[in-house]
Amino acid sequence: MSSTGVDRRGVLADKVALITGSTDEIAFAIAQRLAQDGAHVIVSSRKQQNVDRAVEKLQGEGLSASGTVCHVGKEEDCKKLVSMASEKYGFINFLVCVAGANPLAWSTLGASEEMWDKIMDINVKAPARLVKLALPHMVTLEEKKEEQDIWAKPDPRASAVVFVSSAVAYVPEVENHPGLPFLHQQK
């Protein structure tokens, strides 16, 4: 199958994926690819107009997509995102944490307390919070062992969590973007 086609019988048919910060760039491409392979995707962003635009584009390609506003730094928004998936589909197969904060700081040592708090809240605590909220709606290997032989037939509810990170943390300085290493040290 080509990367632009939709395969409802594909490897991800009837899987459910939540993707944070997924209305543009890399996260949108992740949502698009998961949907092209048959998954039902739920996109999210801090702004409703971004969610609407992304959902419209995905649905315009014949893909199964819905979305909601979710600022990952707000617990109520995270609860709403997880509830949307569990109420609509009954379970979650993939949680893909992409959303991140990037306050401009010239160096790690030059970052203010407020910058550190924002980075830690959005890039570290928020993904942990989302996993905690989503996990009850995901099937673990232990549950699968109790139900059946895990190597027999793949369980359509099998689940995974993906944290999107950055290799730029290994680069001491990014030309024309001197504040970016501060962000990438946290991701």
Side-chain angles (χ1 to χ4, degrees):
M1 183 192 90
S2 76
S3 64
T4 58
V6 179
D7 187 356
R8 295 277 180 235
R9 298 171 321 264
V11 65
L12 301 180
D14 298 321
K15 303 278 187 183
V16 178
L18 299 181
I19 307 102
T20 65
S22 52
T23 58
D24 61 11
E25 299 180 2
I26 292 171
F28 179 80
I30 292 169
Q32 186 177 41
R33 184 58 206 219
L34 291 170
Q36 287 170 346
D37 286 340
H40 305 288
V41 298
I42 299 175
V43 297
S44 64
S45 175
R46 292 176 298 148
K47 298 180 181 173
Q48 185 66 53
Q49 66 266 24
N50 294 347
V51 171
D52 294 343
R53 186 187 71 242
V55 169
E56 183 178 321
K57 182 170 181 175
L58 292 167
Q59 289 178 346
E61 295 176 21
L63 304 173
S64 178
S66 56
T68 189
V69 169
C70 180
H71 183 306
V72 296
K74 297 180 180 178
E75 185 173 4
E76 287 306 311
D77 283 5
C78 293
K79 286 179 180 178
K80 186 172 79 172
L81 176 65
V82 170
S83 291
M84 179 182 186
S86 65
E87 289 170 13
K88 188 169 184 175
Y89 298 105
F91 56 91
I92 299 167
N93 296 105
F94 304 106
L95 171 62
V96 185
C97 298
V98 186
N102 182 18
L104 186 60
W106 294 108
S107 72
T108 302
L109 296 176
S112 68
E113 280 291 315
E114 293 79 22
M115 286 181 184
W116 274 106
D117 289 343
K118 183 174 184 176
I119 289 287
M120 297 306 281
D121 285 346
I122 302 301
N123 297 352
V124 179
K125 286 172 51 180
R129 176 187 302 123
L130 279 162
V131 168
K132 182 178 178 179
L133 292 168
L135 199 56
H137 307 282
M138 301 174 93
V139 175
T140 66
L141 283 177
E142 284 304 310
E143 290 175 84
K144 287 176 65 179
K145 282 181 187 175
E146 292 172 12
E147 294 175 13
Q148 65 181 18
D149 177 7
I150 64 168
W151 304 112
K153 182 178 177 190
D155 187 329
R157 300 170 302 154
S159 302
V161 176
V162 178
F163 299 107
V164 176
S165 187
S166 175
V168 178
Y170 298 104
V171 180
E173 185 175 315
V174 179
E175 190 174 323
N176 299 324
H177 299 288
L180 288 180
F182 177 65
L183 160 74
H184 298 298
Q185 291 168 7
Q186 316 319 312
K187 293 282 277 179

